[in-house]
Amino acid sequence: VQLVESGGDLVHRGDSLTLSCVASGFTLKDYAIAWFRQTPGHERERVSCISHVDGSTNYGDPVKGRFTTSRDNAKNTVYLQMNSLKPEDAAVYYCAADLCGEDDCRTPACMDYWGRGTQVVVSS
């Protein structure tokens, strides 16, 4: 049971990139799904969350207006569309499921089924 991230790449400042998060061994539609990112020496930062109840979304302040998360339950997949990328967006991006049944991904202890991450590099 896990989530598998993909789509990371080396891009230039201002480029766009879409990450995918595919559920393996469970049905993704039953969970709110969050994207996180982490750089060496820093704490993991929550980037976005998409509700399993009504598809509502919330975003971290650094990415508001530039990133969009969406879900395709038929494909058991959540996406993160990243636009206007900046060098400070470079990180390993992970997705995780909220196992507490909450729909806003705001309780760190509830997040699980972590994948191995996908690397995003943004050159200036």
Side-chain angles (χ1 to χ4, degrees), residues 11-122:
V11 296
H12 299 287
R13 178 195 293 271
D15 283 354
S16 297
L17 193 63
T18 300
L19 306 182
S20 298
C21 169
V22 180
S24 175
F26 71 102
T27 302
L28 183 142
K29 70 178 180 64
D30 296 330
Y31 303 93
I33 301 294
W35 283 96
F36 291 80
R37 65 187 182 185
Q38 190 169 25
T39 54
H42 293 84
E43 292 187 0
R44 194 160 46 199
E45 174 188 24
R46 186 168 62 85
V47 173
S48 68
C49 176
I50 184 164
S51 167
H52 61 303
V53 177
D54 58 6
S56 60
T57 57
N58 64 71
Y59 300 91
D61 287 341
V63 307
K64 282 182 180 176
R66 299 188 297 121
F67 289 14
T68 302
T69 188
S70 60
R71 64 195 303 155
D72 186 337
N73 290 332
K75 294 183 178 180
N76 228 20
T77 302
V78 168
Y79 303 97
L80 183 67
Q81 172 70 41
M82 306 186 292
N83 297 327
S84 302
L85 281 161
K86 304 175 181 180
E88 51 263 44
D89 294 319
V92 178
Y93 282 73
Y94 302 88
C95 55
D98 189 321
L99 300 191
C100 296
E102 299 175 347
D103 67 348
D104 61 6
C105 314
R106 295 190 187 277
T107 304
C110 291
M111 306 310 299
D112 206 340
Y113 297 171
W114 296 94
R116 295 185 177 183
T118 187
Q119 179 82 52
V120 174
V121 180
V122 184

